[in-house]
Amino acid sequence: MTQAKTQEKVQEIVKDLKSKYPKFRITEPRKAILTYMIDTDRHPTAEEIYQYLKQDFKSISLATIYNSLHFLVEAGYLYELTQAGSGTRYDFVGDRHYHMICKRCGRVDDFYYHDIHVINQAAMAQTGYQIQQTKIELYGLCPQCQQDLAAQERDA
């Protein structure tokens, strides 16, 4: 996404947040967190975001990062990806995508599949739920871990 498009998206979200949560202050560090999350294709932890932003915001605290991330998850702008062993990672809810998660190293990759309505329709028919959000996480071994395990087996 271009810098102009990112800033446009940030302003759109800030406007929405101000209308829905008038008492929540949208500070420059919070805008920076949102900007970082929109721009990154990684799935960072709060600590990784903190390390990145403290260069520009000397007084930012890890607590500010956690509080802002929690708020943005609750507001529906971020996904929280929690996995034992690798902590909580975050992802911007910008385009419809799903996640592949390595059970060995915790790596997270996006994958795109636009025919998800078949799963949603089956779920609604079986349960009577009205689907409001679909979040899919598939677990397996990433290509690097597959190579590492194959090398270990050869060397054993």
Side-chain angles (χ1 to χ4, degrees):
M1 187 177 290
T2 66
Q3 187 175 5
K5 289 254 187 223
T6 298
Q7 288 310 307
E8 184 179 309
K9 188 68 175 169
V10 168
Q11 292 307 315
E12 175 187 316
I13 292 170
V14 165
K15 183 178 177 183
D16 184 54
L17 290 172
K18 284 181 178 180
S19 71
K20 289 180 181 173
Y21 309 95
K23 293 185 180 188
F24 187 77
R25 289 189 33 218
I26 310 295
T27 62
E28 288 306 311
R30 288 178 175 150
K31 285 183 190 176
I33 292 167
L34 186 55
T35 301
Y36 178 74
M37 291 306 302
I38 290 170
D39 277 345
T40 189
D41 59 353
R42 300 179 58 238
H43 302 84
T45 64
E47 178 67 32
E48 290 169 345
I49 297 167
Y50 171 71
Q51 292 300 324
Y52 178 81
L53 292 179
K54 76 177 186 176
Q55 300 165 6
D56 294 326
F57 297 93
K58 303 292 184 214
S59 64
I60 198 168
S61 70
L62 193 53
T64 297
I65 302 291
Y66 275 109
N67 290 336
S68 298
L69 291 171
H70 177 72
F71 175 75
L72 291 168
V73 167
E74 292 297 316
Y77 288 105
L78 298 182
Y79 282 129
E80 194 174 58
L81 298 136
T82 305
Q83 174 180 345
S86 45
T88 302
R89 296 187 167 276
Y90 297 90
D91 193 19
F92 179 66
V93 181
D95 53 3
R96 183 176 295 195
H97 68 272
Y98 309 99
H99 298 103
M100 298 293 301
I101 302 171
C102 183
K103 291 182 75 166
R104 186 168 182 251
C105 71
R107 173 178 156 177
V108 180
D109 288 300
D110 294 338
F111 76 94
Y112 297 85
Y113 186 77
H114 298 287
D115 197 18
I116 205 69
H117 77 280
V118 173
I119 294 171
N120 288 346
Q121 292 298 326
M124 288 188 298
Q126 289 179 30
T127 65
Y129 277 66
Q130 179 185 18
I131 305 291
Q132 295 178 331
Q133 179 183 19
T134 302
K135 183 176 175 181
I136 296 177
E137 297 175 356
L138 301 172
Y139 295 85
L141 294 176
C142 71
Q144 184 61 53
C145 285
Q146 291 174 54
Q147 287 178 358
D148 292 349
L149 287 173
Q152 287 174 4
E153 288 177 10
R154 281 193 309 270
D155 295 342

